[in-house]
Amino acid sequence: MAQGGNKNSGRRAAIDMRPDKGEIIRDIVLRRRTLSEIARRIGVHTDTVRRYKDEKITEEMRRSILAENRIDAIKADTEVINQDRMDVAMTYESLARRVEKLITQAEEDDNPAFALSAMEGLRKVLRDIATMQGKLATNLTVNVSLAESKEWVTLRTILQEVCDEVPEAREPLLRRMRHHVLSVTKEDSVL
């Protein structure tokens, strides 16, 4: 009796053999491309990509990719904010230098009224610089929920393995997690 397909043949999945496997998995998890687009791009049938998604991409992989993506987005946003901070600082410094030149010129021209007026302008510019620097100097923090962290995904897998190996450990572990107000969701109930 002939066996249909290559099931259990030990053959590696087409996606596993590709050098861009990591990028393909990220595309699938992040839904940057449809499964059809991915299949067309790599020259396989859409069902191949769908099976790979269902059978090879674990929940741990999915959570890890989602967490990395969130952190990468936050890092990119932080870079934009930091660049904006630099632009604002350079603009104010340039303005302060221009006002200083006016003061120097007014003093050289022996025009105390204009020098005083320019000093008042400089004082305002310096106050604005201090205000802006204070507002921009706030610390940026990155929050990643425990459920998305790589460490929790790994720890959860270890806890599941230990509970499978020692079933009587499951109840005391869950009781202690609840006591310490650690989230035990339906998904975590497999512990």
Side-chain angles (χ1 to χ4, degrees):
M1 188 185 241
Q3 182 181 3
N6 289 326
K7 281 203 182 247
N8 302 321
S9 68
R11 190 171 147 222
R12 287 180 60 198
I15 293 174
D16 281 339
M17 295 185 287
R18 294 188 55 88
D20 57 346
K21 168 187 166 184
E23 192 62 28
I24 293 168
I25 292 171
R26 288 179 64 79
D27 283 348
I28 293 169
V29 171
L30 299 174
R31 297 182 178 144
R32 295 189 294 204
R33 294 186 175 106
T34 66
L35 298 182
S36 298
E37 289 172 331
I38 294 168
R40 237 184 343 269
R41 187 172 73 85
I42 64 175
V44 297
H45 193 274
T46 303
D47 289 341
T48 302
V49 178
R50 184 173 291 109
R51 266 193 315 277
Y52 189 87
K53 174 184 163 262
D54 295 341
E55 296 171 7
K56 299 280 188 168
I57 299 177
T58 65
E59 181 63 18
E60 288 80 12
M61 291 167 68
R62 192 184 72 72
R63 286 185 181 195
S64 177
I65 289 168
L66 291 171
E68 285 175 16
N69 190 60
R70 284 184 64 200
I71 291 170
D72 289 346
I74 291 169
K75 284 179 182 176
D77 291 345
T78 302
E79 287 295 321
V80 169
I81 290 169
N82 286 337
Q83 185 58 47
D84 288 347
R85 285 180 180 177
M86 292 301 296
D87 291 345
V88 168
M90 290 186 322
T91 299
Y92 274 112
E93 286 176 23
S94 170
L95 187 55
R97 281 193 301 274
R98 290 176 64 196
V99 173
E100 279 185 69
K101 285 181 183 176
L102 288 173
I103 293 169
T104 302
Q105 186 63 44
E107 288 173 343
E108 288 174 0
D109 293 346
D110 198 24
N111 188 345
F114 185 70
L116 187 59
S117 174
M119 283 182 207
E120 178 62 21
L122 180 59
R123 186 186 65 78
K124 287 179 183 177
V125 169
L126 293 174
R127 185 186 66 223
D128 288 347
I129 290 172
T131 301
M132 288 302 296
Q133 291 296 346
K135 287 180 180 178
L136 294 175
T138 57
N139 288 333
L140 299 176
T141 58
V142 175
N143 293 321
V144 176
S145 74
L146 177 63
E148 295 174 338
S149 76
K150 286 182 183 181
E151 291 80 8
W152 172 247
V153 170
T154 302
L155 181 60
R156 203 173 114 237
T157 302
I158 292 168
L159 290 171
Q160 286 172 337
E161 290 169 356
V162 169
C163 286
D164 290 343
E165 192 175 315
V166 185
E168 57 273 9
R170 185 178 319 281
E171 189 279 326
L173 172 66
L174 292 173
R175 185 172 14 94
R176 283 180 177 82
M177 287 176 72
R178 287 185 187 100
H179 175 75
H180 291 285
V181 195
L182 289 174
S183 174
V184 181
T185 62
K186 288 180 186 175
E187 186 178 308
D188 292 336
S189 67
V190 284
L191 290 178

